[in-house]
Amino acid sequence: MAAGLGTRMRSKRAKVLHELGGAPLIAHVVRAAQALDPKTILVVVGHQAEEVEQAALAEVGELASFAVQAKQRGTGDAVESARDRLEASDSLVLVLSGDVPLIKVETLRKFIEHHQNARADCSILSVRLENPTGYGRIIRDANGAVQKIVEQRDANEEQRQVKEINSGIYCFDAKKLYGALRNVEPANDQGEYYLTDVPEIILRDGGTVSVFLHNDSREVSGINTRAELAEFENLIRRTAIRKLMIDGGVTFIDPSHAYISAEAEIGRDSIIHPNVTIEGKTIVGEGCVIRSGVRITNSRLGDAVVVKDHSIIVDSQIESNCAVGPFAHLRMNAVLEEKANVGNFVEVKKSRLKRGTKAMHLTYLGDATIGERTNIGAGTVTCNFDGRNKNETIIEDDVKIGSDTMLVAPVRVGARSVTGAGSVVTRDVPPDSLVAGVPAEVKKKLSRG
Ligand code: UD1
Ligand code: CA
């Protein structure tokens, strides 16, 4: 169920599109469903249906299909909107809520097994909460048998004392579910069709309802407000960092001020300084040092890489023993081969620096391929944009680019050549040549070696 706006988020965006740990809430839920190997994952969409569909498809592909609930008239109505797809099937229907993202696959497996063993028509996954405010309560009779679910706002004083709550996760026999849904009335405080009325109706019609009491309440807490979203984010982050410290042998100077995605991998003996953000599917090797204020997104770092303060690395690759920063910016598949060095205020876009090459100060390298052991002087710019197209710069091995050289692309600088300070290189430079001036011209041939 993912059709609601989520009024309590006070947002223009549908709640299930808000991100947790770098992925929209709906992605977490369909990912858990996918792991159960279902016939199909039917996502009920309404608010911003198209974006929600995209988010689900991006996560599980064609396994996801969609039922549209045009008007959000309650969770019962949400399930109703999939009637023609499910009513006649012999399937077991597992209902998940789009705003309960931390549910574990293991728990769902146990829950389904419980449902099957109990031969129930309906099973409810419940937990006990010290503070059950806001949740539907599981009402049992004197013998402990479940009678119904009562929503917080429809509950009387006595019912509100009940600490066992409905997680919003259910198993149903499809036919029983859709039979009972016909009898759900919007006779409640919100005037909505509640899915939570279905268990009582099934019981009334002589069916069986069972409750699976789970022991980890955090897994099933729903996100209704931004405050809860932030709490969850914090929980995910702390869990990931703790795991990296305990199992992964990673040092965090201040774990409470590190922001590491759950998908990131960091090798042992790496040291993460305060205020580092590592996002997406980033891999950091062993023995790396990541200094303060660094952001690394969807990138791969080898071993013993040092990233100095306030550098940004996005969609890029850095091999072992490289140094980057401070204040460097690598993006769009920048590649640094082993022992390459990119220093202060250097931007590298869609460029490769081969082994041992250095660009230490105030430089822009875009659409460039730079050979081995080359030195790029301070203030060098690859002038890659002619106003219309992006053009390539190629610099071969063992070149010395003088400070403040402008390389007007497309252009190639041959191996072992030197450009004088302030050169504007508009034509290809042959190998073993010294060029200088505006525009740069060959001043002399250099002897090899
Ligand atoms: C629901 C349960 C409550 C339970 C709680 C657990 C009902 C009536 N109540 O309350 O017993 O304790 O979850 O988290 O079911 N949705 C739709 N269409 C709608 C309404 C909702 O798709 O018309 C979706 C929402 O997008 C959301 C999910 O269903 O993903 C739950 O809806 P929400 O309004 O958050 O229900 P709660 O009030 O939390
Ligand atoms: Ca909710």
Side-chain angles (χ1 to χ4, degrees), residues 47-64:
H47 269 279
Q48 287 167 311
E50 212 165 290
E51 279 107 314
V52 175
E53 290 181 15
Q54 283 313 316
L57 287 169
E59 194 61 37
V60 298
E62 296 299 307
L63 190 54

PDB file of all heavy atoms in Angstrom, residues 47-64:
ATOM      1  N   HIS A  47      -1.137   8.861  -4.957  1.00  0.00           N
ATOM      2  CA  HIS A  47      -0.401  10.117  -4.986  1.00  0.00           C
ATOM      3  C   HIS A  47       0.901   9.960  -5.755  1.00  0.00           C
ATOM      4  O   HIS A  47       1.669   9.051  -5.498  1.00  0.00           O
ATOM      5  CB  HIS A  47      -0.092  10.584  -3.558  1.00  0.00           C
ATOM      6  CG  HIS A  47      -1.169  11.463  -3.031  1.00  0.00           C
ATOM      7  ND1 HIS A  47      -1.245  12.798  -3.345  1.00  0.00           N
ATOM      8  CD2 HIS A  47      -2.232  11.190  -2.253  1.00  0.00           C
ATOM      9  CE1 HIS A  47      -2.308  13.312  -2.773  1.00  0.00           C
ATOM     10  NE2 HIS A  47      -2.929  12.363  -2.102  1.00  0.00           N
ATOM     11  N   GLN A  48       1.134  10.858  -6.698  1.00  0.00           N
ATOM     12  CA  GLN A  48       2.336  10.810  -7.526  1.00  0.00           C
ATOM     13  C   GLN A  48       2.620   9.393  -8.015  1.00  0.00           C
ATOM     14  O   GLN A  48       3.738   8.882  -7.909  1.00  0.00           O
ATOM     15  CB  GLN A  48       3.513  11.370  -6.744  1.00  0.00           C
ATOM     16  CG  GLN A  48       3.377  12.873  -6.631  1.00  0.00           C
ATOM     17  CD  GLN A  48       4.301  13.483  -5.617  1.00  0.00           C
ATOM     18  OE1 GLN A  48       4.378  13.000  -4.492  1.00  0.00           O
ATOM     19  NE2 GLN A  48       4.980  14.517  -6.016  1.00  0.00           N
ATOM     20  N   ALA A  49       1.557   8.806  -8.552  1.00  0.00           N
ATOM     21  CA  ALA A  49       1.628   7.398  -8.956  1.00  0.00           C
ATOM     22  C   ALA A  49       2.827   7.116  -9.859  1.00  0.00           C
ATOM     23  O   ALA A  49       3.525   6.117  -9.671  1.00  0.00           O
ATOM     24  CB  ALA A  49       0.334   7.005  -9.665  1.00  0.00           C
ATOM     25  N   GLU A  50       3.043   8.017 -10.809  1.00  0.00           N
ATOM     26  CA  GLU A  50       4.099   7.738 -11.779  1.00  0.00           C
ATOM     27  C   GLU A  50       5.477   7.638 -11.117  1.00  0.00           C
ATOM     28  O   GLU A  50       6.241   6.709 -11.396  1.00  0.00           O
ATOM     29  CB  GLU A  50       4.120   8.844 -12.823  1.00  0.00           C
ATOM     30  CG  GLU A  50       4.537   8.369 -14.183  1.00  0.00           C
ATOM     31  CD  GLU A  50       4.177   9.411 -15.234  1.00  0.00           C
ATOM     32  OE1 GLU A  50       2.972   9.589 -15.504  1.00  0.00           O
ATOM     33  OE2 GLU A  50       5.106  10.060 -15.725  1.00  0.00           O
ATOM     34  N   GLU A  51       5.759   8.585 -10.231  1.00  0.00           N
ATOM     35  CA  GLU A  51       7.065   8.556  -9.552  1.00  0.00           C
ATOM     36  C   GLU A  51       7.188   7.330  -8.651  1.00  0.00           C
ATOM     37  O   GLU A  51       8.258   6.717  -8.583  1.00  0.00           O
ATOM     38  CB  GLU A  51       7.272   9.812  -8.690  1.00  0.00           C
ATOM     39  CG  GLU A  51       7.731  11.016  -9.466  1.00  0.00           C
ATOM     40  CD  GLU A  51       6.614  12.030  -9.605  1.00  0.00           C
ATOM     41  OE1 GLU A  51       5.466  11.608  -9.934  1.00  0.00           O
ATOM     42  OE2 GLU A  51       6.864  13.219  -9.379  1.00  0.00           O
ATOM     43  N   VAL A  52       6.100   6.984  -7.984  1.00  0.00           N
ATOM     44  CA  VAL A  52       6.148   5.815  -7.099  1.00  0.00           C
ATOM     45  C   VAL A  52       6.382   4.557  -7.941  1.00  0.00           C
ATOM     46  O   VAL A  52       7.183   3.695  -7.580  1.00  0.00           O
ATOM     47  CB  VAL A  52       4.853   5.708  -6.258  1.00  0.00           C
ATOM     48  CG1 VAL A  52       4.854   4.429  -5.430  1.00  0.00           C
ATOM     49  CG2 VAL A  52       4.708   6.927  -5.356  1.00  0.00           C
ATOM     50  N   GLU A  53       5.700   4.485  -9.089  1.00  0.00           N
ATOM     51  CA  GLU A  53       5.903   3.334  -9.976  1.00  0.00           C
ATOM     52  C   GLU A  53       7.363   3.249 -10.428  1.00  0.00           C
ATOM     53  O   GLU A  53       7.974   2.187 -10.415  1.00  0.00           O
ATOM     54  CB  GLU A  53       4.978   3.423 -11.198  1.00  0.00           C
ATOM     55  CG  GLU A  53       3.525   3.194 -10.838  1.00  0.00           C
ATOM     56  CD  GLU A  53       2.588   3.259 -12.048  1.00  0.00           C
ATOM     57  OE1 GLU A  53       3.080   3.197 -13.185  1.00  0.00           O
ATOM     58  OE2 GLU A  53       1.369   3.377 -11.820  1.00  0.00           O
ATOM     59  N   GLN A  54       7.905   4.382 -10.817  1.00  0.00           N
ATOM     60  CA  GLN A  54       9.307   4.420 -11.253  1.00  0.00           C
ATOM     61  C   GLN A  54      10.238   3.917 -10.153  1.00  0.00           C
ATOM     62  O   GLN A  54      11.170   3.152 -10.402  1.00  0.00           O
ATOM     63  CB  GLN A  54       9.719   5.839 -11.664  1.00  0.00           C
ATOM     64  CG  GLN A  54       9.212   6.257 -13.026  1.00  0.00           C
ATOM     65  CD  GLN A  54       9.436   5.198 -14.092  1.00  0.00           C
ATOM     66  OE1 GLN A  54      10.504   4.603 -14.174  1.00  0.00           O
ATOM     67  NE2 GLN A  54       8.412   4.928 -14.889  1.00  0.00           N
ATOM     68  N   ALA A  55       9.979   4.379  -8.932  1.00  0.00           N
ATOM     69  CA  ALA A  55      10.838   4.000  -7.803  1.00  0.00           C
ATOM     70  C   ALA A  55      10.776   2.494  -7.553  1.00  0.00           C
ATOM     71  O   ALA A  55      11.790   1.853  -7.276  1.00  0.00           O
ATOM     72  CB  ALA A  55      10.438   4.775  -6.549  1.00  0.00           C
ATOM     73  N   ALA A  56       9.580   1.921  -7.700  1.00  0.00           N
ATOM     74  CA  ALA A  56       9.430   0.472  -7.487  1.00  0.00           C
ATOM     75  C   ALA A  56      10.098  -0.298  -8.625  1.00  0.00           C
ATOM     76  O   ALA A  56      10.810  -1.279  -8.390  1.00  0.00           O
ATOM     77  CB  ALA A  56       7.951   0.113  -7.373  1.00  0.00           C
ATOM     78  N   LEU A  57       9.870   0.159  -9.854  1.00  0.00           N
ATOM     79  CA  LEU A  57      10.462  -0.521 -11.013  1.00  0.00           C
ATOM     80  C   LEU A  57      11.987  -0.474 -10.951  1.00  0.00           C
ATOM     81  O   LEU A  57      12.667  -1.440 -11.299  1.00  0.00           O
ATOM     82  CB  LEU A  57       9.969   0.124 -12.314  1.00  0.00           C
ATOM     83  CG  LEU A  57       8.513  -0.171 -12.688  1.00  0.00           C
ATOM     84  CD1 LEU A  57       8.054   0.727 -13.831  1.00  0.00           C
ATOM     85  CD2 LEU A  57       8.338  -1.642 -13.068  1.00  0.00           C
ATOM     86  N   ALA A  58      12.514   0.658 -10.497  1.00  0.00           N
ATOM     87  CA  ALA A  58      13.967   0.796 -10.417  1.00  0.00           C
ATOM     88  C   ALA A  58      14.549  -0.230  -9.450  1.00  0.00           C
ATOM     89  O   ALA A  58      15.673  -0.693  -9.613  1.00  0.00           O
ATOM     90  CB  ALA A  58      14.333   2.210  -9.958  1.00  0.00           C
ATOM     91  N   GLU A  59      13.771  -0.616  -8.471  1.00  0.00           N
ATOM     92  CA  GLU A  59      14.276  -1.537  -7.454  1.00  0.00           C
ATOM     93  C   GLU A  59      14.092  -3.002  -7.858  1.00  0.00           C
ATOM     94  O   GLU A  59      14.999  -3.795  -7.700  1.00  0.00           O
ATOM     95  CB  GLU A  59      13.551  -1.250  -6.128  1.00  0.00           C
ATOM     96  CG  GLU A  59      14.168  -1.881  -4.918  1.00  0.00           C
ATOM     97  CD  GLU A  59      15.593  -1.405  -4.656  1.00  0.00           C
ATOM     98  OE1 GLU A  59      15.873  -0.206  -4.883  1.00  0.00           O
ATOM     99  OE2 GLU A  59      16.417  -2.237  -4.255  1.00  0.00           O
ATOM    100  N   VAL A  60      12.926  -3.358  -8.359  1.00  0.00           N
ATOM    101  CA  VAL A  60      12.645  -4.787  -8.600  1.00  0.00           C
ATOM    102  C   VAL A  60      12.235  -5.089 -10.034  1.00  0.00           C
ATOM    103  O   VAL A  60      11.909  -6.237 -10.357  1.00  0.00           O
ATOM    104  CB  VAL A  60      11.547  -5.313  -7.632  1.00  0.00           C
ATOM    105  CG1 VAL A  60      12.022  -5.184  -6.198  1.00  0.00           C
ATOM    106  CG2 VAL A  60      10.223  -4.601  -7.827  1.00  0.00           C
ATOM    107  N   GLY A  61      12.240  -4.074 -10.897  1.00  0.00           N
ATOM    108  CA  GLY A  61      11.933  -4.306 -12.307  1.00  0.00           C
ATOM    109  C   GLY A  61      10.522  -4.822 -12.511  1.00  0.00           C
ATOM    110  O   GLY A  61       9.598  -4.479 -11.772  1.00  0.00           O
ATOM    111  N   GLU A  62      10.394  -5.712 -13.486  1.00  0.00           N
ATOM    112  CA  GLU A  62       9.071  -6.142 -13.945  1.00  0.00           C
ATOM    113  C   GLU A  62       8.305  -6.988 -12.927  1.00  0.00           C
ATOM    114  O   GLU A  62       7.132  -7.281 -13.137  1.00  0.00           O
ATOM    115  CB  GLU A  62       9.220  -6.942 -15.245  1.00  0.00           C
ATOM    116  CG  GLU A  62       9.782  -6.116 -16.390  1.00  0.00           C
ATOM    117  CD  GLU A  62       8.878  -4.936 -16.747  1.00  0.00           C
ATOM    118  OE1 GLU A  62       7.679  -5.178 -16.990  1.00  0.00           O
ATOM    119  OE2 GLU A  62       9.360  -3.792 -16.763  1.00  0.00           O
ATOM    120  N   LEU A  63       8.978  -7.354 -11.853  1.00  0.00           N
ATOM    121  CA  LEU A  63       8.269  -8.087 -10.802  1.00  0.00           C
ATOM    122  C   LEU A  63       7.168  -7.217 -10.204  1.00  0.00           C
ATOM    123  O   LEU A  63       6.153  -7.708  -9.705  1.00  0.00           O
ATOM    124  CB  LEU A  63       9.268  -8.506  -9.707  1.00  0.00           C
ATOM    125  CG  LEU A  63       8.795  -9.474  -8.635  1.00  0.00           C
ATOM    126  CD1 LEU A  63       8.201 -10.732  -9.239  1.00  0.00           C
ATOM    127  CD2 LEU A  63       9.951  -9.842  -7.718  1.00  0.00           C
ATOM    128  N   ALA A  64       7.364  -5.917 -10.289  1.00  0.00           N
ATOM    129  CA  ALA A  64       6.357  -4.991  -9.754  1.00  0.00           C
ATOM    130  C   ALA A  64       5.279  -4.718 -10.793  1.00  0.00           C
ATOM    131  O   ALA A  64       5.563  -4.533 -11.969  1.00  0.00           O
ATOM    132  CB  ALA A  64       7.022  -3.680  -9.348  1.00  0.00           C
TER     133      ALA A  64
END
